[in-house]
Amino acid sequence: MSESLAERKARLTLRIQQQRLDLLSAEREWLSAMAPVDAGWRHLARYKWAAIAASGVLATWQLRRPGRLVRLLRRGPVVWSTLRLVRSMLR
């Protein structure tokens, strides 16, 4: 009976080792796949304080002239799509 327990323990130990190796492999794949996203996030995080300050200025501006932001938000997608069209035509 103790032999079967020892065999079971060895089998489970090997299974745990294989699972650990699988996890390490999956971690490497995940990190390599997410590297561009992480780089972009770090790039955005550099400008965190500027974004906070800009949002404060924008909030103050919005309180003083409520209609302008609405117009700007309506025109934003049009300007964005126009820029994308021009870029694609220049390539």
Side-chain angles (χ1 to χ4, degrees), residues 14-43:
L14 287 174
R15 187 173 172 191
I16 290 170
Q17 284 178 333
Q18 185 60 45
Q19 288 175 349
R20 287 179 179 167
L21 290 173
D22 292 343
L23 280 173
L24 283 173
S25 174
E27 179 189 21
R28 283 189 203 108
E29 289 176 19
W30 174 262
L31 289 176
S32 67
M34 293 302 293
V37 175
D38 289 338
W41 184 257
R42 281 191 301 272
H43 185 72

Side-chain angles (χ1 to χ4, degrees), residues 5-74:
L5 286 176
E7 289 173 1
R8 183 170 181 226
K9 181 179 178 181
R11 194 174 55 236
L12 288 174
T13 303
L14 287 174
R15 187 173 172 191
I16 290 170
Q17 284 178 333
Q18 185 60 45
Q19 288 175 349
R20 287 179 179 167
L21 290 173
D22 292 343
L23 280 173
L24 283 173
S25 174
E27 179 189 21
R28 283 189 203 108
E29 289 176 19
W30 174 262
L31 289 176
S32 67
M34 293 302 293
V37 175
D38 289 338
W41 184 257
R42 281 191 301 272
H43 185 72
L44 286 176
R46 284 186 212 140
Y47 301 107
K48 178 174 68 172
W49 293 110
I52 291 171
S55 66
V57 169
L58 186 63
T60 304
W61 181 58
Q62 171 61 22
L63 288 173
R64 295 184 74 199
R65 295 180 184 93
R68 282 189 174 182
L69 184 63
V70 173
R71 278 191 308 233
L72 182 65
L73 289 176
R74 277 192 216 141

